[in-house]
């Protein structure tokens, strides 16, 4: 039988080690299925609100619960790293010649930073558990780490582990860190006592719902990804529907509006401890004119080590062209017209749309 006192001590030391590695939040959730959580996911998928993210349907059986992905899992260690911005994420709304990049993507790729820390913490856990006699041998203690790229429901698990609650914008909200948390999880065969889930404290506030430029929230706590600017600029392939192009404004990668207006952010502090997440100067307020000149090699150089790199040059320039069309700056026309014959038909389509938007009605 596992020594309960030893597990309590290990849990406390785990939280301390997590903090040393840069995690500002750490909690434990059960690994078994939550029927309510699974049902909500199924209903969301049945309503086709996932858009082109077909992998969510393909691996639904794994996403329903940690045990569904890994039958040996007994506990989930949910962790969060803060990326709270120093300035106002909405400051560039009135600068149409500049491109707005979501706060989370202005620094290093969080997948790499968080995963490295998770692996270090998982190795520490295995070694400590074995040293304390909580497993027959180190290789008998199982751990698996996940950051956003596996069929894992990080936000509901974070809520179950007491890190925060899923707000009306569907992202996790923390009493201490607001809406600015990168989430990662460790599945383990060790049986920790779970923490108490966080209580929903959104109350009557609907600031995030009102802030959405594309009305992507059909109801509180429900997001239609097909209308979400983050989804459209990052995950959506092909042309973006014309009904959304003007609403994109100068947002070229992601959207912070619903997060930025959350009142709980007043408790968040800048993520100085994780220097990797501090914004790169060239990504804070880049000029659209410069981004429109990027070829594939230039795109890769500029976004080396950035999460933006994964969408590729063509989708990125597509987004920049929509922003150019919304800029009101006819001085961008020569760059836009040069892209009307781009080899990528989606880029060419976006360029023609932007050209029509900026060309005076009297022009031939």
């Amino acid at each position: 039988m596992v020594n309960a006192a030893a597990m309590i001590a290990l849990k406390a030391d785990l939280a301390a080690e997590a903090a040393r590695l840069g995690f500002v939040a750490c909690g434990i959730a059960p690994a078994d299925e939550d029927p309510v959580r699974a049902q909500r996911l199924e209903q969301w998928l049945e309503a086709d609100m996932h858009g082109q993210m077909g992998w969510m349907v393909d691996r639904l059986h794994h996403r329903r619960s940690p045990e569904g992905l890994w039958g040996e899992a007994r506990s989930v260690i949910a962790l969060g790293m803060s990326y709270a911005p120093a300035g106002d994420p909405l400051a560039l709304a009135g600068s149409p010649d500049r491109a707005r990049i979501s706060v989370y993507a202005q620094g290093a790729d969080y997948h790499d930073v968080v995963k490295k820390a998770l692996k270090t913490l998982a190795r520490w856990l295995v070694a400590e558990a074995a040293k304390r006699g909580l497993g027959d041998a180190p290789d008998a203690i199982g751990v698996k780490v996940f950051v956003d790229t596996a069929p894992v429901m990080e936000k509901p698990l974070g809520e179950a582990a007491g890190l925060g609650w899923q707000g009306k914008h569907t992202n996790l909200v923390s009493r201490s860190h607001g809406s600015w948390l990168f989430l990662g999880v460790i599945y383990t065969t060790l049986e920790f006592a779970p923490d108490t889930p966080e209580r929903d404290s959104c109350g009557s506030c609907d600031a995030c719902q009102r802030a959405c430029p594309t009305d992507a929230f059909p109801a509180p706590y429900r997001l239609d990804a097909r209308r979400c600017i983050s989804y459209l600029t990052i995950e959506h392939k092909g042309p973006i529907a014309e009904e959304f192009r003007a609403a994109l404004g100068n947002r070229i990668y992601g959207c912070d509006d619903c997060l930025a207006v959350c009142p709980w952010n007043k408790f968040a502090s800048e993520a100085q401890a994780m220097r990797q997440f501090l914004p790169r100067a060239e990504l804070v307020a880049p000029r659209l004119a410069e981004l429109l000149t990027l070829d594939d090699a230039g795109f890769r150089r500029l976004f080396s080590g950035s999460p933006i790199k994964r969408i590729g040059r063509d989708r990125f320039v597509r987004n920049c062209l929509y922003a150019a069309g919304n800029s009101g700056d006819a001085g961008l026309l020569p760059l836009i017209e040069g892209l009307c014959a781009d080899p990528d038909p989606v880029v060419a389509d976006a360029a023609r749309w932007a050209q029509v938007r900026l060309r005076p009605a009297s022009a031939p």
Side-chain angles (χ1 to χ4, degrees):
M1 177 178 289
V2 175
N3 185 311
M7 288 299 295
I8 291 172
L10 179 61
K11 182 178 176 181
D13 291 342
L14 172 70
E17 181 66 11
R20 189 187 70 81
L21 292 170
F23 293 105
V24 297
C26 177
I28 306 294
D32 55 345
E33 181 174 310
D34 179 333
V36 174
R37 188 168 67 215
Q39 182 182 41
R40 287 174 180 168
L41 174 62
E42 290 175 355
Q43 291 173 342
W44 185 73
L45 293 172
E46 288 169 1
D48 289 329
M49 291 189 181
H50 57 292
Q52 294 177 352
M53 297 183 289
W55 64 85
M56 300 197 73
V57 177
D58 296 340
R59 300 194 67 180
L60 171 61
H61 58 297
H62 288 150
R63 201 175 295 271
R64 288 176 59 94
S65 71
E67 287 181 337
L69 177 61
W70 185 36
E72 297 176 42
R74 294 296 174 265
S75 301
V76 175
I77 305 165
L79 299 126
M81 278 187 180
S82 173
Y83 67 102
D88 179 6
L90 307 181
L92 292 179
S95 302
D97 64 318
R98 303 284 180 158
R100 293 169 66 182
I101 294 173
S102 185
V103 169
Y104 88 85
Q106 292 178 19
D109 191 335
Y110 72 94
H111 297 90
D112 299 332
V113 177
V114 177
K115 194 162 193 176
K116 181 179 179 181
L118 285 175
K119 287 181 175 180
T120 301
L121 184 61
R123 287 193 295 268
W124 176 92
L125 177 62
V126 169
E128 283 295 313
K131 184 169 67 176
R132 301 179 193 199
L134 298 174
D136 296 332
D139 59 2
I141 301 168
V143 290
K144 292 184 183 294
V145 303
F146 303 103
V147 186
D148 195 30
T149 55
V152 172
M153 296 177 70
E154 292 96 340
K155 290 181 285 187
L157 288 170
E159 181 178 70
L163 271 58
W165 68 94
Q166 274 194 270
K168 292 179 181 178
H169 51 30
T170 75
N171 286 283
L172 200 74
V173 183
S174 162
R175 291 179 178 275
S176 303
H177 308 288
S179 297
W180 312 109
L181 283 179
F182 289 131
L183 300 177
V185 297
I186 300 175
Y187 288 3
T188 180
T189 56
L190 292 167
E191 293 194 52
F192 288 102
D195 288 301
T196 303
E198 181 62 272
R199 179 176 60 86
D200 185 328
S201 296
C202 285
S204 61
C205 178
D206 63 350
C208 59
Q209 314 286 285
R210 290 184 284 107
C212 182
T214 52
D215 295 322
F217 299 104
Y221 308 103
R222 195 167 176 85
L223 171 69
D224 187 343
R226 298 167 298 182
R227 303 184 64 90
C228 174
I229 290 178
S230 284
Y231 166 80
L232 292 170
T233 56
I234 299 172
E235 303 292 348
H236 180 78
K237 300 174 183 177
I240 292 177
E242 290 204 23
E243 66 176 300
F244 301 126
R245 295 181 186 182
L248 294 175
N250 58 347
R251 304 172 188 83
I252 63 165
Y253 189 92
C255 178
D256 292 319
D257 291 35
C258 67
L259 301 181
V261 300
C262 178
W264 284 97
N265 288 334
K266 64 185 177 183
F267 298 107
S269 58
E270 185 183 354
Q272 292 286 3
M274 298 303 294
R275 57 180 177 77
Q276 299 96 319
F277 298 147
L278 296 178
R280 290 165 46 181
E282 65 273 26
L283 301 185
V284 174
R287 293 185 179 277
L288 280 171
E290 295 173 4
L291 298 179
L292 289 172
T293 66
L294 291 175
D295 58 12
D296 187 66
F299 171 82
R300 290 177 177 275
R301 280 194 303 271
L302 180 59
F303 295 110
S304 176
S306 164
I308 298 173
K309 185 177 178 181
R310 78 179 185 88
I311 70 170
R313 175 265 178 188
D314 294 344
R315 203 180 308 175
F316 180 80
V317 173
R318 173 203 69 179
N319 297 341
C320 293
L321 283 164
Y322 294 141
N326 292 327
S327 70
D329 183 1
L332 295 175
L333 274 171
L335 294 172
I336 292 168
E337 289 166 350
L339 291 166
C340 286
D342 193 86
D344 184 87
V346 177
V347 171
D349 172 79
R352 289 190 291 270
W353 179 84
Q355 181 185 43
V356 170
R357 292 267 292 182
L358 294 181
R359 180 182 290 161
S362 59

